[in-house]
Amino acid sequence: MDLNKALRLAIDTGDVHLGSKQSSRAVDSGSAKLIILASNCPEETVNFVKGGKTPVHSFSGNNSVLGAACGKPFPISVVAILDEGKSDVLTLKAD
């Protein structure tokens, strides 16, 4: 699976929250199905999302690379997938 294509398709056709505040809220409410963390995500955010029941996938690139993978011109540390839409992004293995 091409993660970049899967992320963009999920963003275009599904329900995805970008950033640590929105993603943390999604984990807290239980609405997130998958969390994707950049390699340089802040430790407090990592600890919070890994403490929840949502599966977590560690992205191999940093927040700038994750932002580019999402098709955004800014860095993104956390992506919460609430609905994958037409994407197969939920087939990612959690860490």
Side-chain angles (χ1 to χ4, degrees), residues 13-81:
T13 63
D15 188 10
V16 177
H17 288 184
L18 306 175
S20 45
K21 286 183 183 177
Q22 286 189 358
S23 297
S24 295
R25 281 190 220 122
V27 168
D28 205 28
S29 70
S31 59
K33 294 180 181 176
L34 177 70
I35 297 293
I36 301 172
L37 296 174
S39 62
N40 63 339
C41 183
E43 194 66 33
E44 62 194 37
T45 304
V46 172
N47 293 336
F48 180 79
V49 298
K50 286 192 174 183
K53 295 180 182 176
T54 306
V56 176
H57 175 77
S58 295
F59 186 73
S60 58
N62 64 22
N63 59 355
S64 295
V65 177
L66 183 56
C70 292
K72 304 297 179 188
F74 48 85
I76 298 172
S77 295
V78 188
V79 176
I81 309 293

